Amino acid sequence: MTVTLVMGVGYVAIGIGTETVPPTVLAAFRFDVSAGVLLTYAVLSGHWRPRTTVDVLAIITLGELVFAGTIGFLFVGQQYTTASIAAVVMGLGPIVTIPIAYLLVPSERLSRADIVGLLLGFFGVVIVANPSPAQAATGANAGIVFVCCAVLSSSLGGVLLSRFETELSPLALTGWGALLGGTTLHVVTIGLGESTETISWTPASIVVLVYLAVIVGIGGYAALLVLLSEVGPTRTSLTSFASPIVAIGAGWFLIGEVVTVTTLVGLVVVVGGFAVSNWSSLSQTLDRFG
């Protein structure tokens, strides 16, 4: 429940923050704050220095793909779409991970259920996007394209990261990844010509920065680790589909976002794709509580 609430409201926070702060700047500062807190704690706790090549590769993968790529594309994408739509598209993560793992991990196999689930997930995003020639010409679906890039970056990074057996503690690894991801986004900001001097830091944008950096970036991650250890990866991945429900409600309540029928239908189809591709694991989980 905690992870779902924190992550779901996070989509709305991104939408509010990027109204006055450029998305790459907001994302970079988010990681700066998270890295400062996490690395300080890691140093005080010990075992914070990367010592092996695997440690370095894990930091690069986490920082560039899971953090900079995922959050950068997501923040940019939400300039062009709503929090609810972005959350629904991000729900594709567990589904997209399946074919990526099949291609990169020799032991993985792609079943018929996986293929059906992948197709359902793709169809769900098509429903949410509701593409038309007019929209394509005006770039109205640019936001969804950017969010899809965030999904791909996150899934690829997650698969690669699972291959590394690092000696770093989770907090140290996350801190170093946040530092690298934030640095990368600062470079992107300079490349795009976005000056931090012209940013108008409003009370709302400051609250958003603190929420994204501390509550989501640190608290949400810690809660996710606890959830993984207590209920396992299958039930934990369900947060990817519960978070859009929170994002839809929070978007409507906090900033008056209009929720369309197509968004809700797309969410149901994406959830259906996940259920099909993970049916055996879900059945086992349900049997334990039956």
Side-chain angles (χ1 to χ4, degrees):
M1 179 64 72
T2 301
V3 173
T4 299
L5 290 173
V6 167
M7 300 303 181
V9 175
Y11 290 104
V12 180
I14 293 170
I16 295 173
T18 52
E19 289 180 355
T20 57
V21 183
T24 54
V25 175
L26 182 62
F29 280 129
R30 166 199 169 162
F31 286 126
D32 291 342
V33 176
S34 296
V37 174
L38 288 169
L39 286 178
T40 299
Y41 182 83
V43 169
L44 295 176
S45 302
H47 303 294
W48 61 277
R49 293 171 53 190
R51 300 177 183 276
T52 66
T53 301
V54 174
D55 290 343
V56 174
L57 290 175
I59 290 171
I60 293 174
T61 301
L62 182 65
E64 300 294 3
L65 292 176
V66 179
F67 286 163
T70 303
I71 302 302
F73 280 125
L74 177 61
F75 275 42
V76 172
Q78 280 202 228
Q79 283 192 303
Y80 307 99
T81 190
T82 64
S84 57
I85 290 177
V88 171
V89 177
M90 286 299 293
L92 274 176
I95 301 174
V96 173
T97 299
I98 293 172
I100 292 178
Y102 170 75
L103 293 173
L104 299 181
V105 182
S107 60
E108 293 290 330
R109 293 292 181 267
L110 201 60
S111 66
R112 292 180 181 178
D114 292 334
I115 296 174
V116 173
L118 184 63
L119 291 175
L120 280 173
F122 175 78
F123 184 55
V125 171
V126 171
I127 293 174
V128 171
N130 192 24
S132 67
Q135 288 178 321
T138 59
N141 286 321
I144 292 178
V145 172
F146 278 116
V147 179
C148 284
C149 290
V151 174
L152 289 172
S153 184
S154 176
S155 297
L156 176 60
V159 171
L160 292 176
L161 199 59
S162 67
R163 306 276 290 171
F164 301 131
E165 295 183 5
T166 175
E167 297 179 2
L168 287 169
S169 69
L171 288 178
L173 176 60
T174 305
W176 282 114
L179 180 62
L180 178 59
T183 301
T184 299
L185 289 171
H186 279 300
V187 173
V188 171
T189 296
I190 295 173
L192 294 175
E194 296 178 340
S195 175
T196 58
E197 298 177 357
T198 60
I199 297 173
S200 176
W201 286 104
T202 64
S205 62
I206 294 173
V207 170
V208 163
L209 175 61
V210 173
Y211 182 85
L212 293 174
V214 179
I215 306 301
V216 176
I218 299 175
Y221 180 79
L224 190 64
L225 289 179
V226 172
L227 199 61
L228 279 169
S229 63
E230 290 185 354
V231 303
T234 300
R235 292 187 67 199
T236 299
S237 63
L238 292 176
T239 59
S240 299
F241 305 106
S243 292
I245 299 174
V246 175
I248 290 170
W252 169 78
F253 181 75
L254 296 175
I255 56 178
E257 282 189 350
V258 177
V259 182
T260 65
V261 174
T262 54
T263 299
L264 296 176
V265 172
L267 173 61
V268 171
V269 174
V270 170
V271 172
F274 169 81
V276 170
S277 59
N278 292 274
W279 182 249
S280 59
S281 298
L282 287 174
S283 298
Q284 294 175 3
T285 301
L286 291 174
D287 289 341
R288 295 194 194 104
F289 295 91

